[in-house]
Amino acid sequence: MDNIFLEKSDNSPKVIMDKNNALIEFEGRSYPENTFAFYRPITEWLKWYFKFHTQPTTATTINFKLVYFNSATTQIIFEILDIVEEANNKNIKINWFYKEENKNGFEDYEDYAEEFPRLNIEAIVV
Amino acid sequence: MNNDLKVCIQIDDKTIYEFSGKIDEQIMVQSANHIEKLLINNGAKIDKIQNVFELFIETIQNMLNYAYNSMKLENNKRKVFCNFTLSYFTANNLYILDSCNFITVDQKKVIKHKVNSIKDLDDASLRKLIRQKSRSKVDHHEKGAGLGYIIMTRRSSSPIEIQFIPYKKNILKYKQRLTI
């Protein structure tokens, strides 16, 4: 599958799915009207990537840099982390970025980190 | 901006944003951005801005997805007639998001059940429920896992207030108040 690069819009995030650099990144606002349709190619790409592309020696970085997101995106993030967890690849670094004064951002991190303890999701204050 | 849009910039326990008309994704985004600017200018903290912003989006997307008179457009997008107001109460630093749209009688049962089943849960229980629903795949459908009302309850300062007013046969006016 080809890499996916999507520019951010007012209500959808910038998306990087770069197999060459082992970088997956979501940045910006995420509340597209058809959220599941927006993310479907992304979750399909992730399943392909972890099944066929990753090498044990290559570390994959996944960055979540989301500011506002809707409930459907909340669910999609769980789905993405489910895919990553099922891949059972030890060489993955997941970063959750949030603003220090943003209590919600940290609580979202806590929820994902507690739900997926094996993924060692890291909180990064920006 | 849509001609139906009315914006009032008074902030003294009065309406700060008001809309009545047909709303689609583009107008929703414009309104959300406008509301964000109003709150920033009003000195709101980041969590408050995020809560108001996200609950506004959740409310409008609920309407687009489920309102009785929601119209299907190209690319699976939708447009719906609705109205909403956002008010600010200086005494307790609370924003009130009132909204109104049309639903069917059957939807009333679903909404009442969803709101009543979570209204007494504390924050920890709501967070747990979000995680459970997201991962269990129970109640999942093409529009989601039914997280909307849980997140709205979680981000609100008071329980969601709902009201159903008969409009015509099998159709009700659904009024919702979120205190944020």
Side-chain angles (χ1 to χ4, degrees):
Chain A
M1 290 176 92
D2 292 334
N3 292 335
I4 298 175
F5 297 105
L6 301 176
E7 288 302 319
K8 72 171 75 169
S9 74
D10 275 342
N11 64 338
S12 64
K14 177 181 175 184
V15 177
I16 299 171
M17 316 288 281
D18 184 347
K19 63 188 177 202
N20 309 96
N21 293 302
L23 175 66
I24 295 156
E25 188 164 288
F26 307 91
E27 181 186 358
R29 302 173 176 209
S30 179
Y31 58 98
E33 183 174 345
N34 298 305
T35 305
F36 295 104
F38 176 84
Y39 278 100
R40 196 165 297 124
I42 290 162
T43 52
E44 290 304 312
W45 189 96
L46 277 171
K47 286 175 191 169
W48 166 83
Y49 175 78
F50 285 114
K51 193 167 183 181
F52 298 114
H53 191 77
T54 48
Q55 304 294 324
T57 52
T58 310
T60 297
T61 301
I62 305 177
N63 293 326
F64 290 98
K65 301 176 175 178
L66 296 170
V67 276
Y68 301 128
F69 51 93
N70 62 1
S71 61
T73 300
T74 298
Q75 190 185 326
I76 291 287
I77 296 170
F78 276 101
E79 195 176 325
I80 288 170
L81 296 174
D82 262 331
I83 293 167
V84 177
E85 190 175 60
E86 281 167 20
N88 206 20
N89 184 327
K90 306 287 181 213
N91 213 353
I92 298 174
K93 185 169 174 49
I94 304 177
N95 301 310
W96 182 271
F97 293 77
Y98 72 101
K99 288 187 179 170
E100 188 167 22
E101 65 272 26
N102 186 353
K103 182 173 144 251
N104 291 342
F106 182 71
E107 287 184 354
D108 289 332
Y109 157 74
E110 280 184 324
D111 287 338
Y112 292 118
E114 283 174 23
E115 194 65 23
F116 297 92
R118 288 196 295 136
L119 296 179
N120 295 315
I121 303 171
E122 194 170 329
I124 297 181
V125 178
V126 290
Chain B
M1 287 292 233
N2 187 292
N3 288 335
D4 297 321
L5 196 61
K6 291 176 256 172
V7 179
C8 170
I9 54 166
Q10 281 180 287
I11 302 178
D12 186 16
D13 297 351
K14 291 192 176 89
T15 297
I16 60 170
Y17 199 89
E18 182 177 10
F19 178 93
S20 180
K22 288 178 183 163
I23 194 163
D24 59 12
E25 185 178 38
Q26 189 185 358
I27 297 170
M28 177 188 73
V29 169
Q30 288 172 344
S31 299
N33 290 342
H34 204 123
I35 286 169
E36 182 190 28
K37 280 184 190 147
L38 283 171
L39 266 65
I40 290 169
N41 292 338
N42 197 30
K45 290 189 173 172
I46 189 166
D47 285 338
K48 185 74 88 175
I49 297 170
Q50 185 181 10
N51 286 343
V52 172
F53 190 100
E54 290 185 353
L55 295 199
F56 169 73
I57 296 297
E58 215 60 51
T59 298
I60 301 302
Q61 291 190 325
N62 262 351
M63 290 177 181
L64 289 168
N65 281 327
Y66 302 111
Y68 156 73
N69 52 348
S70 176
M71 291 167 279
K72 204 166 182 176
L73 308 172
E74 286 180 11
N75 301 324
N76 218 19
K77 301 204 181 246
R78 305 191 79 93
K79 181 181 254 193
V80 69
F81 181 83
C82 69
N83 59 60
F84 64 84
T85 59
L86 180 67
S87 311
Y88 177 60
F89 291 80
T90 51
N92 41 16
N93 188 30
L94 288 174
Y95 290 86
I96 307 282
L97 179 61
D98 284 313
S99 60
C100 180
N101 62 285
F102 295 109
I103 61 165
T104 64
V105 172
D106 288 343
Q107 285 172 311
K108 174 185 173 182
K109 292 175 198 160
V110 176
I111 294 169
K112 270 187 90 169
H113 173 71
K114 281 185 177 176
V115 172
N116 289 336
S117 66
I118 55 176
K119 68 178 181 184
D120 296 323
L121 297 182
D122 61 17
D123 189 59
S125 303
L126 290 167
R127 289 172 73 174
K128 195 174 165 190
L129 191 57
I130 289 167
R131 289 157 59 173
Q132 279 174 349
K133 274 186 169 282
S134 293
R135 296 202 78 189
S136 70
K137 311 284 192 264
V138 174
D139 294 338
H140 285 205
H141 49 79
E142 77 279 5
K143 290 170 184 170
L147 298 183
Y149 278 101
I150 307 173
I151 288 175
M152 286 198 280
T153 300
R154 192 173 163 229
R155 302 274 203 224
S156 296
S157 304
S158 307
I160 301 173
E161 295 174 52
I162 55 175
Q163 196 181 356
F164 303 93
I165 302 161
Y167 179 66
K168 57 184 182 182
K169 192 182 177 190
N170 292 326
I171 308 300
L172 307 167
K173 269 187 187 176
Y174 169 55
K175 289 189 168 190
Q176 177 184 285
R177 168 168 286 190
L178 301 177
T179 304
I180 308 154

